[in-house]
Amino acid sequence: MGRAVTGASSRIPSRAWWIAFAGAGGLLGVFAVTLAWLLINGVGIWHNNNPVVWALDIVAYDWWIGIACGALLTSAILRLTGASWRSGIDRIAETTAILAAASAALYPIIHLGRPWLFYWTLPYPNTLALWPQFRSPLVWDAIDIISFLGVCLGLWYVGLLPDFATLRDRAFEAALAEADERGRTRRLTLMKAQTYGILALGWRGASTHWERWLMATRTLSALALVLVVSLQTGASVMLAGSVLPGWHDTLLPVSFLAASLLSGVGVTAALTVLVRRALHLDALITERHIALMAHLMLGLGLASAYCYATEIFSGLLHGDAYDRAVLVRRLSGSHAWAFWIIVVFALLPVHLFWFAAFRRSGRVVALVGLAAAIGSFGDHFMLLIVTLSHDFLPSSAHPYSMGVWGLATLAGTIGLFLALLLLALRTLPMVSIAETRRVAESHRDGRPRGERAPVPAESAQARLWGVSAEFDDAGALAAAAGALKERDFGARIETYGPVPMRRVAESLGRPAGILPLLALGAALAGGLAFMGLCLYASGVDYVFDVGGRPRFSWPAFLVPSVSFGTLCGGLTALLALLVQNRLPRLNHPAFAIPGFTRASEDRFFLAFEAAGPRFNPARIEQALARLPQGRPLTIRRVPL
């Protein structure tokens, strides 16, 4: 399984990849020209006007954030529920979330007009002793984006740690083979092995490593779930708390969340089909994965349709004249195309998935997923543009039309997303190797692999680090560890393998630690600290009241406080994982175990590390060779 994933990128047709990358590069070129023109002329090139001060820039920002939130929420829910079929989807969903968030993060920066001064939005007192306006959504966006990228990157990187170790070992094997064949190793091959080695941080696959890894991924997934719900509902509550017709609706947070989930799942489904076809991973991303994504889109499409129908009937039945006027403009005004894009692209196509034939068709699932993303763009355009262009007074109405530079900016961010995605396809495993192996380990064929008899130690006279035994499955390793853990060999027992080994960890009696409690404490402390900072800055040190709000209006600071709290919790979870596992440690004596590179693929190792004068390697070898159950394939002495 691991070989199938690690070798998948080499199966991408080079010509097709370069053509696609050239197209993405062309869009990036358009983006560069657009940014240059924007810096010369200002953000007015997007056709922003009064009252439509939020135009295509904020529409595109919300659209990208919705995709990122939907994709991250998909991965988080799959990890928290422990769905066995998530191995083909979670990595793609997390990558989608990161790339979409990176595309979204550009908009608040370039919207400033002077993007090189973006740090002015960060919460620090500047040289004029002024604080940022914490009631401003611009500050919220800065905190939300930084928090989202921090938590999402943390979850993505923690999930990649075992896979980086696999890539490190494969690159190391390739370097050795190249040295044997050619007499020397090419610099590129050696650099590849070194790069993956640094990224793996010395991951060895110890049983305690795996237990803490599982705990860290679940903790980060829980934090991601809180962050996504807070970010999406927080932005919509901000709109719903206004007096503008079309926004003043308590259903808006639910509508926001349902639409973003639909777009995020849709893009994730489309990319899943793309990865399956491009990397020839039909055995890992099966029709079942495609069908389950179709089911998700059908359920979310029904939820979105319910929200739209409820909003329409609510406006018609008990809305005031202004709400009904906004509803009429949405259905038949100059921008009515946005509403009908929602209907045609987001709400209707998902009903194809009532039929099993369409759910099993990768092409249909991909097209419906992309259509859902297009419909989501129409939703954000309708919600923002139609509402802002006409509020209560006819004298304040002003028409809005999309300009070429706004569309070019959107196309440029799509080019950035595609370019980064294509680079990821060529360099990273887009399907989790560790999760795939977990599934494969639970469906082993039972056939023995490798030699069965212990072999003599090659280093009988050398100073020893310990004694290792090699096994072909986790069950044999657990039996051996359970039988020998109570015997006094003057050694510390450690186990290594390519997948989590719950039975081994339980038999050794080593708890995974208090990582979730540390993350929870850091999240609460970070959120309360940021809330205190906002209250102090806005209510005591720099009183700048806008709109007659209360001096200590804590609800206005709740969204960035929750975002910052989840960021603190995510960073603490990542730091606790590394500290408890004593990582990074790029060199470890366990790497000297003969054949240890297979510990990241299909072999399990039991190591007795010398821990005092009572260490007796001959006694350990005899005990391993006489095991009634879980007899090792090989027994080796490991030099220091």
Side-chain angles (χ1 to χ4, degrees), residues 44-319:
I45 67 171
W46 289 330
H47 285 197
N48 295 20
N49 59 45
N50 194 5
V52 188
V53 292
W54 292 351
L56 201 58
D57 49 334
I58 303 301
V59 171
Y61 168 78
D62 285 343
W63 180 63
W64 279 119
I65 282 293
I67 292 174
C69 287
L72 182 59
L73 196 62
T74 301
S75 173
I77 291 175
L78 290 177
R79 286 186 182 275
L80 290 173
T81 57
S84 60
W85 54 275
R86 71 179 186 272
S87 58
I89 295 176
D90 54 2
R91 177 69 47 74
I92 300 173
E94 291 159 13
T95 304
T96 302
I98 292 173
L99 300 185
S103 299
L106 295 175
Y107 274 101
I109 295 176
I110 61 179
H111 195 194
L112 296 174
R114 291 179 289 176
W116 53 89
L117 300 177
F118 73 94
Y119 58 90
W120 283 8
T121 62
L122 301 180
Y124 76 101
N126 59 29
T127 55
L128 299 177
L130 301 178
W131 290 91
Q133 177 51 266
F134 288 104
R135 293 186 179 91
S136 170
L138 187 61
V139 178
W140 297 9
D141 289 342
I143 301 301
D144 288 343
I145 282 290
I146 293 172
S147 301
F148 188 93
L149 284 173
V151 173
C152 191
L153 282 169
L155 179 60
W156 177 78
Y157 184 73
V158 169
L160 269 170
L161 262 180
D163 293 358
F164 280 138
T166 300
L167 295 173
R168 172 199 65 198
D169 295 340
R170 300 296 81 77
F172 180 71
E173 289 179 350
L176 291 179
E178 198 171 271
D180 292 340
E181 181 180 345
R182 304 176 55 182
R184 63 183 181 87
T185 302
R186 290 184 302 174
R187 181 173 297 179
L188 181 62
T189 305
L190 186 60
M191 185 181 299
K192 187 177 179 181
Q194 292 172 341
T195 301
Y196 284 131
I198 293 173
L199 292 173
L201 302 180
W203 177 270
R204 300 179 296 280
S207 59
T208 50
H209 286 198
W210 280 114
E211 291 302 304
R212 292 164 184 153
W213 179 82
L214 288 172
M215 194 171 289
T217 55
R218 293 186 186 126
T219 302
L220 287 167
S221 297
L223 291 170
L225 183 64
V226 173
L227 178 60
V228 166
V229 174
S230 169
L231 197 153
Q232 284 295 308
T233 57
S236 53
V237 166
M238 177 189 68
L239 299 179
S242 67
V243 298
L244 287 176
W247 286 356
H248 198 68
D249 194 333
T250 55
L251 188 63
L252 201 58
V254 181
S255 301
F256 251 59
L257 192 58
S260 66
L261 276 176
L262 179 59
S263 62
V265 172
V267 173
T268 302
L271 292 183
T272 301
V273 174
L274 171 65
V275 170
R276 182 175 185 248
R277 290 179 62 89
L279 303 183
H280 307 287
L281 295 176
D282 298 45
L284 300 179
I285 304 176
T286 64
E287 286 187 356
R288 181 169 178 259
H289 292 90
I290 305 299
L292 287 168
M293 295 296 286
H295 278 109
L296 282 175
M297 282 193 284
L298 177 59
L300 292 169
L302 293 173
S304 295
Y306 172 80
C307 290
Y308 288 118
T310 302
E311 186 176 356
I312 291 173
F313 283 116
S314 175
L316 292 175
L317 292 177
H318 58 77

Side-chain angles (χ1 to χ4, degrees), residues 12 29 32 54 82 175 177 197 204 285 289 314 359 378 383 385 461 465 484 497 507 549 558 561 581 607 632 634 636:
I12 301 178
W54 292 351
R204 300 179 296 280
I285 304 176
H289 292 90
S314 175
R359 292 197 299 267
L383 184 68
I385 303 301
Q461 304 302 321
W465 169 75
L484 300 176
S507 66
R549 294 180 179 88
L558 192 59
S561 297
N581 287 339
T634 61
R636 310 262 188 175

